[in-house]
Amino acid sequence: MSSPLTIRNLTSRPVELIKYEYNAIAPSLSQGGMTNITHNVTSLFRNFTTPAAPPVAEPATTFVQQDVSIRIEPFASLQTDIKPQKPTETLHLTFETEGEKHRLDTPTFSSNSTTLSPLTENPRFNYTAVHLLEHSHLTLYSSANLTSWMRSLKDDTPLSALSIPGTHNSPTCHRALPSVRCQATSPPEQLDNGVRFFDIRVQPESPLDSSKDGLILVHGVFPISLTGTKYLRDLLVEVHTFLDRNPSETVIMSLKREGTGEGTDAQLSRILRDHYAGDPNRWFTTPRIPYLGEARGKIVLIRRFGLDESLKQEWGGAGWGIDAENWADNTPNATCPSGDVCVQDFYEVLETVNIEKKIQYSQDHLERAAKCVCTLPEQDGVSVDQPPKQPFFINFLTASNFWKVGCWPEKIAAKLNPAIVDFLCRKHNETDGAAPGEARAAGDGSTGIVVCDWVGYKGNWDLVRCIVGMNAKLEIRERDA
């Protein structure tokens, strides 16, 4: 028999479980007769009618239905008395929020999350559930429209306070050498499904001539595609097209110089400034973390390269772009000297046994982000002219070893991504000591920027949805301000 079902509410409003239903498996008549069946099942499930059926070799089933009233506050967990005979037994759960009813049938044949069916016309709320069968744990998220999930957040929200899904070597979705390809889907598909951070590596095509703007997309010293050179210019067209369609959104772009040749960071910075990122209506290049309202419809530049001397004088001598130039290599936790970026980027997983270490480092960084409580100008009486103090917590769930097949990006992602979904659903921003069903006092619960490989593989965007869902606690603060 499975363990009792635990339900965690990671939405911004209280939910109440008002009914559950499922098919229970009764013992066969040869194992104790009709009297034992009636006694045992009635004591287990309370609301039960024994089916009149002849003795059979296989267990008989009966339908269990129970009206309940189980209220679960936002960001609270509660263990119920619901205890199906088997973890795979289909549960029919009915939840209510502010008079609206929603039904969940779980588990499904798919391992992905399940959208609850509204039982009310024109519902105001929509929910998604992630059912972790191994732990008999169900997590409820608000079903944000991933194409424009930033729309519900206020303009004075610090961008660094958000839970933001990202991708590592974002455009590497093409046929490529082993360990070069890191993504299952194209950048436009990533954007449509909620990704808002791109990790981009480029190589100047003509580094000695800054009048030429060719920037080749690379991963290390390798091109990202075996079917032809791919350019930053084409990628930016896709990003700007998305932002034009969804002006409530922003895309944070980390740019770094890699590849071969004689190029320098100074040359790259001039090319970017002169040919790409000079339009303030398209790019946010101020050397500080912005508020969301300043960034909507724009690309926010995080630079992992040094500046040409001329660009060091931009913005009153403060420089150009958010400074992540001195990024610690292969680190479980380090803050860039600018103070704007705190990163986990441990990537040397040389053996498969080290994947567990990578999972732990990733979880630790999630918790660092979760403990922060951001300053909201409207709520805390702070001027929006003051830059946000909270850094970007950037958490790479990525690693590889070219020489070991079990440590290629897709193999590591197959273990790391589900582990982080499990962690976010069951443990993220949890503290001990609260009464059952009550919310726990902790930080804002942000994940920071979570940078993934192979997200969206076979249509599974659960990791992205879980990350976006962690903005619910911040939404509560903004709503109650």
Side-chain angles (χ1 to χ4, degrees):
M1 182 177 290
S2 61
S3 301
L5 180 70
T6 295
I7 301 174
R8 190 179 187 200
N9 176 18
L10 292 182
T11 78
S12 61
R13 298 178 186 276
V15 297
E16 183 178 358
L17 177 65
I18 61 173
K19 180 187 291 186
Y20 65 84
E21 306 160 273
Y22 58 92
N23 288 320
I25 300 176
S28 67
L29 294 180
S30 61
Q31 296 177 328
M34 186 66 71
T35 302
N36 285 343
I37 292 176
T38 305
H39 172 75
N40 292 338
V41 178
T42 301
S43 63
L44 279 172
F45 303 121
R46 296 188 294 272
N47 189 3
F48 173 84
T49 302
T50 305
V56 290
E58 296 298 323
T61 63
T62 185
F63 189 68
V64 175
Q65 178 176 306
Q66 183 70 49
D67 293 328
V68 292
S69 179
I70 301 174
R71 181 183 172 93
I72 309 171
E73 298 295 330
F75 277 77
S77 300
L78 187 69
Q79 187 179 76
T80 71
D81 294 328
I82 304 171
K83 197 173 183 180
Q85 293 280 343
K86 296 189 300 182
T88 54
E89 197 76 51
T90 300
L91 283 170
H92 310 283
L93 306 175
T94 303
F95 294 91
E96 185 171 0
T97 303
E98 297 183 13
E100 286 187 13
K101 295 179 181 178
H102 298 259
R103 176 180 164 121
L104 170 68
D105 299 328
T106 184
T108 63
F109 292 109
S110 168
S111 62
N112 299 356
S113 56
T114 306
T115 301
L116 277 66
S117 301
L119 304 179
T120 306
E121 290 187 7
N122 302 315
R124 291 180 298 144
F125 310 113
N126 294 285
Y127 297 111
T128 297
V130 178
H131 192 178
L132 303 172
L133 294 177
E134 180 183 356
H135 303 286
S136 191
H137 191 283
L138 182 76
T139 306
L140 288 176
Y141 290 96
S142 295
S143 295
N145 179 354
L146 292 180
T147 303
S148 56
W149 63 263
M150 291 177 164
R151 182 186 301 168
S152 62
L153 295 156
K154 292 186 176 181
D155 281 350
D156 64 353
T157 307
L159 200 56
S160 55
L162 297 183
S163 298
I164 297 175
T167 49
H168 163 243
N169 278 288
S170 306
T172 59
C173 58
H174 307 279
R175 186 161 62 89
L177 295 171
S179 281
V180 172
R181 182 176 180 180
C182 299
Q183 300 305 326
T185 63
S186 67
E189 189 173 354
Q190 294 171 32
L191 292 170
D192 285 340
N193 284 279
V195 171
R196 295 293 178 269
F197 173 93
F198 275 1
D199 169 43
I200 307 296
R201 322 294 174 91
V202 295
Q203 172 186 321
E205 191 171 37
S206 304
L208 301 182
D209 186 352
S210 61
S211 68
K212 295 183 178 180
D213 67 358
L215 291 175
I216 301 170
L217 296 170
V218 295
H219 181 180
V221 297
F222 301 106
I224 67 167
S225 173
L226 294 176
T227 59
T229 302
K230 308 298 180 184
Y231 288 92
L232 177 66
R233 176 74 66 191
D234 297 320
L235 173 64
L236 292 180
V237 169
E238 295 174 335
V239 175
H240 288 311
T241 298
F242 170 81
L243 292 173
D244 287 344
R245 290 199 316 265
N246 301 280
S248 62
E249 309 304 290
T250 184
V251 175
I252 303 166
M253 187 172 290
S254 167
L255 275 163
K256 181 185 180 186
R257 181 181 61 84
E258 288 187 350
T260 59
E262 302 175 358
T264 66
D265 282 2
Q267 291 163 344
L268 172 61
S269 69
R270 289 199 304 271
I271 293 171
L272 285 169
R273 176 64 177 82
D274 295 342
H275 300 286
Y276 292 89
D279 184 352
N281 295 312
R282 291 285 196 180
W283 289 78
F284 183 91
T285 59
T286 312
R288 63 169 176 81
I289 294 171
Y291 292 98
L292 180 56
E294 299 175 285
R296 294 193 197 272
K298 301 177 184 178
I299 297 172
V300 176
L301 175 63
I302 294 181
R303 60 172 180 85
R304 294 182 63 184
F305 54 84
L307 292 175
D308 183 75
E309 287 298 323
S310 62
L311 288 175
K312 293 178 182 179
Q313 307 309 313
E314 294 277 329
W315 298 104
W320 188 72
I322 296 171
D323 182 5
E325 175 186 357
N326 295 306
W327 183 295
D329 184 60
N330 197 39
T331 179
N333 177 33
T335 300
C336 293
S338 67
D340 288 334
V341 173
C342 180
V343 64
Q344 182 280 122
D345 190 18
F346 173 78
Y347 59 81
E348 287 188 356
V349 177
L350 302 181
E351 300 290 340
T352 55
V353 293
N354 290 335
I355 295 177
E356 291 301 320
K357 180 188 293 186
K358 175 65 178 181
I359 290 172
Q360 187 60 57
Y361 287 158
S362 301
Q363 293 174 349
D364 290 345
H365 212 58
L366 287 170
E367 288 301 273
R368 291 185 191 101
K371 291 176 182 177
C372 293
V373 178
C374 75
T375 299
L376 297 175
E378 182 179 336
Q379 184 180 76
D380 300 321
V382 176
S383 171
V384 292
D385 294 331
Q386 274 187 279
K389 295 181 180 179
Q390 182 172 324
F392 282 121
F393 286 86
I394 302 181
N395 194 355
F396 280 80
L397 309 187
T398 61
S400 68
N401 177 5
F402 179 87
W403 305 107
K404 197 171 188 67
V405 174
C407 293
W408 287 357
E410 64 270 29
K411 303 295 184 181
I412 291 178
K415 294 183 178 181
L416 228 158
N417 291 358
I420 297 303
V421 168
D422 182 295
F423 181 81
L424 291 174
C425 287
R426 295 195 302 123
K427 299 178 181 179
H428 184 66
N429 204 39
E430 284 273 15
T431 59
D432 298 328
E438 292 184 359
R440 290 154 167 79
D444 285 335
S446 172
T447 64
I449 298 171
V450 184
V451 190
C452 317
D453 276 345
W454 285 83
V455 71
Y457 180 59
K458 293 185 176 180
N460 188 338
W461 296 95
D462 285 359
L463 180 52
V464 168
R465 189 167 292 286
C466 290
I467 295 166
V468 172
M470 286 299 171
N471 288 301
K473 201 166 187 181
L474 190 58
E475 290 178 5
I476 293 172
R477 285 188 60 197
E478 294 188 341
R479 185 185 69 211
D480 296 343

